[in-house]
Structures are given as structure tokens and as C-alpha cells.
Amino acid sequence: MSETVQSAGPGRPKDPAKREAILTAAKTLFLGNGYEGSSMEAIAAEAGVSKLTLYSHFKDKEALFCAAVQATCEQRLPSSLFHPSPELPIEQALGALATAFWSLVSSPESIGLHRLMITVAPQNPDMSRLFYEAGPQRVLQDTRQFLQVATSRGQLKVTDALKAAEHFCSLVKGLNHFHQLIGHSGPLEEAQLREHIADVVALFVRAYRP
């Protein structure tokens, strides 16, 4: 499944702009042509870099795919949201996190990646595992840590933080995410989203109030 070449080894520092170009090209081709239909040569050409440069940043196609998934998550859901100031009311912290998470899962990249995994999974279950570990699992673990810290501060009372994180993420996605996946409707309008997030936060805080 992997496409690899011998690493270029230590040398000049890697160019962040080229790395970003590679990730952008990878997301474009993976979503457009699928995983198997996107070769490292095609990704290098799309990014405007040499194959050697591509492999100096990513050892194989699996590593590049995982990095593309992680980059999509980090762009829409920055790590700072999981580490709010202790002075910030928990409702505001949860609201900011929920809004960013919804933006992530409703983004064209995320919807496309989910659809890609559905088509790939029967023939290549390893890809589903890589996708889950690089994206959804990391978000769940970060949310669990967020809830553990909130509990230690007395803002919430959560006994099973992982289960609570699952509840929170599922509430945020709601029915609209499923509708988007099957092409039944587009994302929520701004006013609808504000109401949805307010309902989710109110319900969650009520369930886990100290």
C-alpha cells in the first residue's frame, strides 16, 4: 500500500512553504482521485516540487495522508481551543470549541474525506484506521483532556471523560452532519448554527453540572 523511496537524510532545513504546498496538493488529489488513484508523483507535480523534496517531508503516501488529515483538523480546530483560560466561563469555552468543531466536520474537506473513507473501507480497512487515528481519535482525546481539566477546575463534573467527549462531539454534529454526508442538505445557516450550538452547550452543561 505504501509508496516509499530512500530518505534524503539530514541536510538543509525543510521549507515550510513547500510542505504546505504538498499538503494542499495531497488533499486536492486524495479528494478528487481517491487514495489509490493519487500517486506520489502526481502529488509532487501538483505541488510544484520534486519527488525527492516530497519524500524529504513525508516518508510514504500513508504518512502524507495522515498529515493531510491532521492539517485539516488543525486548520479548523486549533489546539488553543482545548486549553482555555481558567477565567473563561465554561459555557463560552464549550461554545467556542463546539463552533470550531462543527466548522471542521462540516467543511468540504472533512465531508469529502468521510465519503472517501466510506468507499475505501471495504477494500482497504487499514486506511479507515489511519484516518480515524489521525483525525477523529485525536479530536476525541483532546476533548477528553479539555473535560478533565474543566472537572479539575470545578467547572464540570465528569467521571468518564472519554464517554462525555463522545457525547459532546455527537451532539455538535447532530443530524445535519448526516444530511451533509448523504447530500440531503448543506451546512446550517449562521442563525441556525448559533441556536444549535447554544442548545448543545446548555444541554451538555446541564448534564455535567458540578
Side-chain angles (χ1 to χ4, degrees):
M1 178 166 64
S2 301
E3 297 179 31
T4 60
V5 297
Q6 186 173 350
S7 171
R12 291 180 299 176
K14 296 180 177 63
D15 186 343
K18 289 184 178 179
R19 177 184 172 87
E20 183 63 28
I22 292 168
L23 288 171
T24 299
K27 285 186 282 187
T28 298
L29 293 186
F30 284 144
L31 292 177
N33 303 333
Y35 180 82
E36 298 297 342
S38 304
S39 68
M40 292 294 266
E41 291 85 353
I43 293 170
E46 177 76 15
V49 302
S50 68
K51 192 174 176 182
L52 184 62
T53 296
L54 188 153
Y55 279 108
S56 74
H57 286 270
F58 304 100
K59 66 178 183 177
D60 55 31
K61 192 162 72 169
E62 288 182 7
L64 177 54
F65 177 79
C66 291
V69 174
Q70 291 172 16
T72 299
C73 293
E74 291 165 3
Q75 179 183 8
R76 302 273 184 172
L77 193 59
S79 60
S80 59
L81 290 174
F82 295 100
H83 306 283
S85 166
E87 288 75 31
L88 187 68
I90 189 61
E91 290 84 0
Q92 291 185 32
L94 284 169
L97 182 58
T99 301
F101 177 67
W102 189 90
S103 175
L104 167 64
V105 298
S106 297
S107 68
E109 301 94 332
S110 179
I111 294 296
L113 282 169
H114 278 80
R115 289 172 175 167
L116 175 62
M117 289 301 99
I118 291 170
T119 61
V120 166
Q123 294 79 30
N124 195 344
D126 281 346
M127 286 307 304
S128 296
R129 176 183 57 79
L130 289 173
F131 170 74
Y132 178 74
E133 291 175 353
Q137 186 177 61
R138 291 169 64 93
V139 172
L140 278 175
Q141 295 296 345
D142 287 344
T143 305
R144 179 179 70 171
Q145 184 179 29
F146 171 99
L147 297 176
Q148 288 173 331
V149 172
T151 296
S152 70
R153 292 173 177 172
Q155 297 173 306
L156 296 173
K157 185 178 181 181
V158 176
T159 55
D160 188 335
L162 182 57
K163 182 178 291 186
E166 294 172 359
H167 291 163
F168 181 74
C169 292
S170 296
L171 285 169
V172 173
K173 287 182 2 181
L175 184 61
N176 178 255
H177 184 254
F178 175 69
H179 283 174
Q180 290 185 68
L181 284 177
I182 64 173
H184 177 62
S185 67
L188 297 173
E189 299 292 339
E190 184 175 349
Q192 293 175 313
L193 177 59
R194 286 198 301 267
E195 182 179 1
H196 172 63
I197 295 300
D199 287 345
V200 166
V201 171
L203 178 61
F204 192 83
V205 170
R206 188 161 62 245
Y208 293 101
R209 190 180 302 281

